[in-house]
Amino acid sequence: MTNSLSASTEGLTIVDRARKRRGWTKTSTACWWEDAHTSRATLRRFWRGERIQKDAFISICQAVGISDWQAIAQFPERLNSNVPELKSPLIDWDEAPDLDHFYGRIQPLNQLEEWITKDNCKLVAIVGMGGIGKTALTVALCDRIQSDFDCLLWRSLTYQPSLLTLLDSILNTFEPTVIQDIQSGIRQLRHHLQQRRCLLVLDGFDSVLHQKDNIEDYSKLWQTLSRKRHQSCILITSREQLPGFDAIAANSKGVRCLRLQGLEQADAMALLQTGGFTGQEQGLSALCQLYRGNPLALKTIIPLIQSIFAGNVNAFRLQNTIVIGDRLEALLTQQFDRLSESERSIAYWLAIWQEPIALCRLQSHLLYASDPSVILTGIATLETRSLLEKRFSADTPSFTLQPMVMKVATDRLIEQAVREITQVIQSDDISHLHILRTHWLMRPGTDDIAGDRLIFKLREQLWATYGTSLSQTLLQILFRLQDRSPQVVGYARCNLTALLQEF
């Protein structure tokens, strides 16, 4: 008997059902090829119906729970010699990540599949906050629908490649070529998208949205490909909505956007339970809600709870804190730093309140923002960047930050306040006061402990630097504010007075 085997069409259908029962993807669930003691490349060849080593073939079947590998194999007597050999599809995963496990997302997967395979959309965007699982969802989707395409190309934009570099990488996958300029490169790409049905994935599109040249060049790319006739689909993931995307989507049936939220409660619980947590349903449910079903945040918190609290979820919750891990914190901080000054100001106020606040109340406390359009635009931008939560009470919207975003905003607020006080002391110049002048750190209208928390945190940070001389330092700044206009003072006097209350 031959030492190599390939799967039959019927066999692949059986394997597909088996892997769905386990919640595995076709070629991106690492434990599949690891359990089979083979490689991802071999697993991909298996799915393409190509011949692979018999031992690897059997192991792939067994890893997914199929012991009767003969029912999966394509034996010579089953072959139809009159059927011509099909041309192998062009598959280039590039830097697409491997998935150990994939949870839930049934509705988003079905929606995306319908848009791409049935509605033949040319441009689809998946937008959501950092760590929410956009890339994982895209990998699972590609595994699911790649058989509908002649070509699958994955490109990561994390390293902020110029459009010329990206086009060169994509086009040389089809055939050796030299690109003269961006315009000709786009034309060549469109030609290939017309000749073959391709699924082109551009992962992490937000990475190129903050460099002027990149914005202009990439806008030409996706605007051209969303309007010109071709049979392919460009699938984009981004933490932020693409500039002008809504306008194009409104005028084109072939352009869609999916705003990805956290995992459903049951799926988030399943993710946590893989970390060894048993029982504790109430505590796990509260943890899922605290982290809003963010997969990366939940995966980060599992080893911490296991190592420090011996797996006791309630013991961790009693700490009354939120831990988001270095990777997610870096993603959220990077996104926060990209906000405009007015957007950061709104985020800081929401961090001060800690709870949903009505738009009219927010407007009443913002200094130097007399134009309502500035506030409305800022709120809209924060929402498109998936940083806000919106609630409705009697048809009146209220806004607050996502809990993890609130932690980042709070930390940045305290850091900036400490830096401002240090700069005033060093330079004897109160013009360095900005955040302390424009934001009242003690939640307006409250005298409870929660409302005082930012003042307490700021006092702790300052004490670490100034020690017993802190009260004198703050009094010196207060003295410099005397006889200054209300516009210059703002909330600074209120904040400094609150800091001095414990002395």
Side-chain angles (χ1 to χ4, degrees), residues 221-264:
L221 173 69
W222 62 264
Q223 289 187 33
T224 299
L225 297 182
S226 66
R227 292 169 177 168
K228 299 296 184 179
R229 184 182 297 274
H230 60 79
Q231 58 177 329
S232 300
C233 178
I234 295 85
L235 180 58
I236 293 172
T237 72
S238 178
R239 284 176 285 174
E240 304 173 19
Q241 184 62 283
L242 281 64
F245 187 95
D246 291 338
I248 290 185
N251 296 307
S252 174
K253 295 181 179 179
V255 178
R256 307 283 172 81
C257 178
L258 176 75
R259 294 191 177 277
L260 189 61
Q261 305 299 324
L263 292 170
E264 296 288 340

Side-chain angles (χ1 to χ4, degrees), residues 51-245:
R51 301 188 74 83
I52 61 175
Q53 289 296 313
K54 180 180 177 181
D55 290 345
F57 184 96
I58 295 173
S59 296
I60 286 173
C61 294
Q62 291 176 339
V64 82
I66 297 174
S67 57
D68 184 12
W69 58 268
Q70 291 93 339
I72 309 302
Q74 176 73 75
F75 291 105
E77 58 270 21
R78 300 179 188 171
L79 294 174
N80 185 346
S81 59
N82 295 322
V83 177
E85 182 180 354
L86 296 177
K87 183 179 180 181
S88 298
L90 176 59
I91 307 294
D92 182 1
W93 285 94
D94 193 50
E95 296 182 355
D98 295 331
L99 298 182
D100 292 327
H101 296 88
F102 184 76
Y103 300 91
R105 303 297 199 194
I106 301 302
Q107 193 279 329
L109 278 171
N110 290 338
Q111 180 67 84
L112 290 165
E113 182 176 12
E114 180 178 344
W115 286 348
I116 295 173
T117 63
K118 296 181 180 179
D119 297 343
N120 295 317
C121 287
K122 296 178 182 177
L123 177 65
V124 174
I126 302 175
V127 178
M129 72 180 296
I132 207 66
K134 301 179 294 297
T135 300
L137 174 65
T138 304
V139 170
L141 175 68
C142 290
D143 269 335
R144 185 170 177 172
I145 66 174
Q146 64 176 320
S147 60
D148 291 291
F149 291 86
D150 305 316
C151 172
L152 169 63
L153 300 180
W154 181 294
R155 290 295 181 270
S156 173
L157 304 185
T158 305
Y159 303 109
Q160 303 178 353
S162 68
L163 180 55
L164 202 61
T165 300
L166 177 68
L167 289 171
D168 180 75
S169 171
I170 294 173
L171 293 173
N172 276 281
T173 303
F174 294 106
E175 59 184 0
T177 187
V178 176
I179 304 175
Q180 300 299 327
D181 52 54
I182 287 175
Q183 199 62 41
S184 65
I186 293 177
R187 283 197 301 270
Q188 291 179 58
L189 176 58
R190 184 159 59 90
H191 169 76
H192 288 291
L193 299 183
Q194 290 172 335
Q195 297 300 309
R196 307 177 69 164
R197 180 157 167 73
C198 300
L199 179 59
L200 172 60
V201 179
L202 302 179
D203 186 37
F205 202 88
D206 52 281
S207 298
V208 299
L209 289 180
H210 297 275
Q211 297 178 2
K212 185 176 180 180
D213 292 342
N214 272 347
I215 293 176
E216 294 176 354
D217 292 341
Y218 276 93
S219 293
K220 293 177 185 176
L221 173 69
W222 62 264
Q223 289 187 33
T224 299
L225 297 182
S226 66
R227 292 169 177 168
K228 299 296 184 179
R229 184 182 297 274
H230 60 79
Q231 58 177 329
S232 300
C233 178
I234 295 85
L235 180 58
I236 293 172
T237 72
S238 178
R239 284 176 285 174
E240 304 173 19
Q241 184 62 283
L242 281 64
F245 187 95

Side-chain angles (χ1 to χ4, degrees), residues 175-469:
E175 59 184 0
T177 187
V178 176
I179 304 175
Q180 300 299 327
D181 52 54
I182 287 175
Q183 199 62 41
S184 65
I186 293 177
R187 283 197 301 270
Q188 291 179 58
L189 176 58
R190 184 159 59 90
H191 169 76
H192 288 291
L193 299 183
Q194 290 172 335
Q195 297 300 309
R196 307 177 69 164
R197 180 157 167 73
C198 300
L199 179 59
L200 172 60
V201 179
L202 302 179
D203 186 37
F205 202 88
D206 52 281
S207 298
V208 299
L209 289 180
H210 297 275
Q211 297 178 2
K212 185 176 180 180
D213 292 342
N214 272 347
I215 293 176
E216 294 176 354
D217 292 341
Y218 276 93
S219 293
K220 293 177 185 176
L221 173 69
W222 62 264
Q223 289 187 33
T224 299
L225 297 182
S226 66
R227 292 169 177 168
K228 299 296 184 179
R229 184 182 297 274
H230 60 79
Q231 58 177 329
S232 300
C233 178
I234 295 85
L235 180 58
I236 293 172
T237 72
S238 178
R239 284 176 285 174
E240 304 173 19
Q241 184 62 283
L242 281 64
F245 187 95
D246 291 338
I248 290 185
N251 296 307
S252 174
K253 295 181 179 179
V255 178
R256 307 283 172 81
C257 178
L258 176 75
R259 294 191 177 277
L260 189 61
Q261 305 299 324
L263 292 170
E264 296 288 340
Q265 184 82 354
D267 298 321
M269 293 274 284
L271 187 157
L272 287 172
Q273 287 165 352
T274 62
F277 301 118
T278 56
Q280 308 184 73
E281 281 78 10
Q282 186 175 358
L284 290 175
S285 177
L287 204 60
C288 294
Q289 177 58 27
L290 175 64
Y291 286 95
R292 299 300 192 264
N294 187 296
L296 179 57
L298 293 174
K299 290 176 182 177
T300 300
I301 207 67
I302 288 173
L304 185 144
I305 296 176
Q306 290 288 19
S307 63
I308 298 181
F309 300 97
N312 189 326
V313 174
N314 288 324
F316 168 74
R317 290 179 58 226
L318 287 174
Q319 300 299 309
N320 195 29
T321 188
I322 186 167
V323 179
I324 58 178
D326 293 342
R327 182 183 169 195
L328 182 54
E329 184 172 15
L331 289 174
L332 295 177
T333 299
Q334 181 187 62
Q335 193 169 5
F336 190 84
D337 289 343
R338 290 173 177 172
L339 299 177
S340 68
E341 184 175 348
S342 61
E343 292 159 3
R344 274 197 299 271
S345 179
I346 293 171
Y348 284 149
W349 272 114
L350 296 177
I352 291 168
W353 255 286
Q354 313 160 62
E355 60 189 24
I357 176 176
L359 182 62
C360 60
R361 193 175 183 192
L362 175 62
Q363 289 172 321
S364 69
H365 287 90
L366 280 169
L367 295 181
Y368 321 120
S370 57
D371 186 353
S373 67
V374 174
I375 302 174
L376 292 175
T377 301
I379 288 286
T381 302
L382 290 172
E383 188 172 15
T384 61
R385 291 176 173 171
S386 307
L387 302 178
L388 283 188
E389 291 183 351
K390 183 164 57 178
R391 314 278 176 80
F392 282 93
S393 177
D395 296 327
T396 300
S398 297
F399 304 92
T400 187
L401 296 175
Q402 288 256 4
M404 290 170 289
V405 178
M406 187 171 293
K407 182 183 187 313
V408 170
T410 300
D411 291 345
R412 297 310 295 269
L413 178 61
I414 297 298
E415 289 172 10
Q416 185 171 340
V418 170
R419 186 163 55 249
E420 288 178 7
I421 288 176
T422 301
Q423 289 173 335
V424 170
I425 295 300
Q426 292 175 346
S427 65
D428 198 24
D429 183 358
I430 64 169
S431 67
H432 290 293
L433 294 179
H434 179 69
I435 200 76
L436 291 169
R437 183 171 58 87
T438 57
H439 293 74
W440 189 0
L441 302 192
M442 184 162 179
R443 188 166 59 186
T446 66
D447 56 2
D448 57 8
I449 294 176
D452 197 32
R453 70 189 179 98
L454 285 181
I455 291 294
F456 179 78
K457 287 185 176 181
L458 178 55
R459 188 186 296 121
E460 276 191 327
Q461 292 286 329
L462 292 170
W463 181 268
T465 301
Y466 296 99
T468 56
S469 66

